[in-house]
Coordinates of all heavy atoms in Angstrom, one line a residue:
L1189 N 64.5 148.3 106.4 CA 63.2 147.8 106.7 C 62.1 148.6 106.2 O 61.1 148.1 105.7 CB 63.2 147.6 108.3 CG 62.1 146.6 108.8 CD1 62.5 145.2 108.3 CD2 62.1 146.6 110.3
A1190 N 62.3 150.0 106.3 CA 61.2 150.9 105.8 C 61.1 150.9 104.3 O 60.1 151.4 103.8 CB 61.5 152.3 106.3
S1191 N 62.2 150.4 103.6 CA 62.2 150.4 102.2 C 61.9 149.1 101.5 O 61.9 149.1 100.2 CB 63.6 151.0 101.7 OG 63.8 152.2 102.3
L1192 N 61.8 148.0 102.2 CA 61.6 146.7 101.6 C 60.3 146.7 100.7 O 60.3 146.0 99.7 CB 61.5 145.6 102.7 CG 62.9 145.2 103.2 CD1 62.6 144.2 104.4 CD2 63.7 144.5 102.2
A1193 N 59.3 147.4 101.1 CA 58.1 147.4 100.3 C 58.0 148.6 99.4 O 57.0 148.8 98.7 CB 56.9 147.5 101.3
D1194 N 59.1 149.4 99.3 CA 59.1 150.6 98.4 C 59.7 150.2 97.1 O 60.9 149.9 97.0 CB 60.0 151.7 99.1 CG 60.0 153.0 98.4 OD1 59.4 153.0 97.2 OD2 60.5 154.0 98.9
E1195 N 58.9 150.2 96.0 CA 59.3 149.8 94.7 C 59.8 150.9 93.9 O 60.1 150.8 92.7 CB 58.2 149.1 94.0 CG 57.8 147.7 94.5 CD 59.0 146.8 94.5 OE1 59.7 146.8 93.5 OE2 59.1 146.0 95.5
T1196 N 60.0 152.1 94.4 CA 60.5 153.2 93.7 C 62.0 153.0 93.5 O 62.7 152.3 94.3 CB 60.3 154.6 94.4 OG1 61.0 154.6 95.6 CG2 58.8 154.8 94.6
P1197 N 62.7 153.6 92.5 CA 64.1 153.5 92.3 C 64.9 153.9 93.6 O 65.9 153.3 93.9 CB 64.4 154.4 91.1 CG 63.2 154.5 90.3 CD 62.1 154.4 91.4
E1198 N 64.4 155.0 94.2 CA 65.1 155.4 95.5 C 65.0 154.4 96.6 O 66.0 154.1 97.2 CB 64.5 156.8 96.0 CG 64.7 157.9 95.1 CD 63.7 158.1 94.0 OE1 62.8 157.1 93.8 OE2 63.7 159.1 93.2
G1199 N 63.8 153.8 96.7 CA 63.6 152.8 97.7 C 64.5 151.6 97.5 O 65.1 151.0 98.4
R1200 N 64.6 151.1 96.2 CA 65.4 150.0 95.9 C 66.9 150.2 96.1 O 67.6 149.4 96.5 CB 65.1 149.5 94.4 CG 63.7 149.0 94.2 CD 63.6 148.2 92.9 NE 63.7 149.2 91.8 CZ 62.6 149.7 91.2 NH1 61.4 149.4 91.6 NH2 62.7 150.6 90.2
S1201 N 67.3 151.5 95.8 CA 68.7 151.8 96.0 C 69.1 151.9 97.5 O 70.2 151.5 97.9 CB 69.0 153.2 95.4 OG 68.5 154.3 96.1
I1202 N 68.1 152.2 98.4 CA 68.4 152.2 99.8 C 68.6 150.8 100.3 O 69.6 150.5 101.1 CB 67.2 152.8 100.6 CG1 67.2 154.3 100.4 CG2 67.4 152.6 102.1 CD1 66.0 155.0 100.9
V1203 N 67.8 149.8 99.8 CA 67.9 148.4 100.2 C 69.3 147.9 99.7 O 70.0 147.2 100.5 CB 66.8 147.6 99.6 CG1 67.0 146.1 99.8 CG2 65.4 148.0 100.2
L1204 N 69.7 148.2 98.5 CA 70.9 147.7 97.9 C 72.1 148.3 98.7 O 73.1 147.6 99.0 CB 71.0 148.1 96.4 CG 70.1 147.3 95.5 CD1 70.2 147.9 94.1 CD2 70.5 145.9 95.5
L1205 N 72.1 149.6 99.0 CA 73.2 150.2 99.7 C 73.3 149.6 101.1 O 74.5 149.3 101.6 CB 72.9 151.7 99.9 CG 74.0 152.5 100.6 CD1 75.4 152.4 99.8 CD2 73.6 153.9 100.8
A1206 N 72.2 149.4 101.8 CA 72.3 148.8 103.2 C 72.8 147.3 103.1 O 73.7 147.0 104.0 CB 70.9 148.8 103.8
R1207 N 72.5 146.6 102.1 CA 72.9 145.2 102.0 C 74.4 145.2 101.6 O 75.2 144.4 102.2 CB 72.1 144.4 101.0 CG 70.7 144.1 101.6 CD 69.8 143.4 100.5 NE 68.5 143.1 101.0 CZ 67.5 142.6 100.2 NH1 67.7 142.5 98.9 NH2 66.3 142.3 100.8
D1208 N 74.8 146.0 100.6 CA 76.1 145.9 100.1 C 77.1 146.5 101.1 O 78.2 146.0 101.3 CB 76.2 146.7 98.8 CG 75.4 146.0 97.7 OD1 75.1 144.8 97.9 OD2 75.2 146.7 96.6
R1209 N 76.8 147.7 101.7 CA 77.7 148.4 102.6 C 77.8 147.7 104.0 O 78.9 147.7 104.6 CB 77.2 149.8 102.7 CG 78.2 150.8 103.5 CD 79.4 151.2 102.6 NE 79.0 151.8 101.4 CZ 78.7 153.1 101.2 NH1 78.7 153.9 102.3 NH2 78.4 153.6 100.1
F1210 N 76.7 147.2 104.5 CA 76.7 146.7 105.9 C 76.3 145.2 106.0 O 76.1 144.7 107.1 CB 75.7 147.5 106.7 CG 76.1 149.0 106.7 CD1 75.4 149.9 105.9 CD2 77.2 149.5 107.5 CE1 75.8 151.2 105.9 CE2 77.5 150.8 107.4 CZ 76.8 151.7 106.7
A1211 N 76.1 144.6 104.8 CA 75.8 143.1 104.8 C 74.6 142.8 105.7 O 74.6 141.7 106.4 CB 77.1 142.3 105.3
I1212 N 73.6 143.6 105.6 CA 72.4 143.3 106.4 C 71.6 142.2 105.6 O 71.3 142.3 104.4 CB 71.5 144.6 106.5 CG1 72.3 145.6 107.3 CG2 70.2 144.3 107.2 CD1 71.6 147.0 107.4
A1213 N 71.3 141.2 106.3 CA 70.7 140.0 105.7 C 69.2 140.0 105.5 O 68.6 139.1 104.9 CB 71.1 138.7 106.5
T1214 N 68.5 141.0 106.1 CA 67.1 141.0 106.0 C 66.6 141.1 104.6 O 67.1 142.0 103.8 CB 66.5 142.2 106.8 OG1 67.0 142.2 108.1 CG2 65.0 142.2 106.8
T1215 N 65.7 140.2 104.2 CA 65.3 140.2 102.8 C 63.7 140.3 102.7 O 63.2 140.5 101.6 CB 65.7 138.9 102.1 OG1 65.1 137.7 102.8 CG2 67.2 138.7 102.0
A1216 N 63.1 140.2 103.8 CA 61.6 140.3 103.8 C 61.1 140.9 105.0 O 61.7 140.8 106.1 CB 61.0 138.9 103.5
L1217 N 59.9 141.5 105.0 CA 59.3 142.1 106.2 C 58.8 141.0 107.1 O 58.4 139.9 106.7 CB 58.1 142.9 105.8 CG 58.4 144.2 105.0 CD1 57.1 144.9 104.5 CD2 59.1 145.2 106.0
P1218 N 58.8 141.2 108.4 CA 58.3 140.2 109.4 C 56.8 139.9 109.1 O 56.1 140.8 108.6 CB 58.5 140.9 110.7 CG 59.5 142.0 110.5 CD 59.3 142.4 109.1
A1219 N 56.4 138.7 109.5 CA 55.0 138.4 109.4 C 54.1 139.4 110.1 O 54.4 139.8 111.3 CB 54.7 137.0 109.9
G1220 N 53.0 139.8 109.5 CA 52.1 140.7 110.2 C 52.5 142.1 110.1 O 51.8 143.0 110.7
A1221 N 53.6 142.4 109.4 CA 54.0 143.8 109.3 C 53.0 144.7 108.5 O 52.4 144.2 107.5 CB 55.4 143.9 108.6

């Protein structure tokens, strides 16, 4: 969640690892975040 708006290579790799390893379905920040 903290990395969804992070466009650095490190931020993108955190998102990919969380989705691939733990199948977390979150793809976008909640409204008003």
Side-chain angles (χ1 to χ4, degrees):
L1189 202 60
S1191 302
L1192 282 172
D1194 185 352
E1195 290 301 320
T1196 65
E1198 292 88 350
R1200 291 194 290 266
S1201 72
I1202 291 172
V1203 173
L1204 288 174
L1205 180 64
R1207 288 176 178 170
D1208 294 345
R1209 188 78 57 85
F1210 303 102
I1212 299 175
T1214 304
T1215 58
L1217 290 171

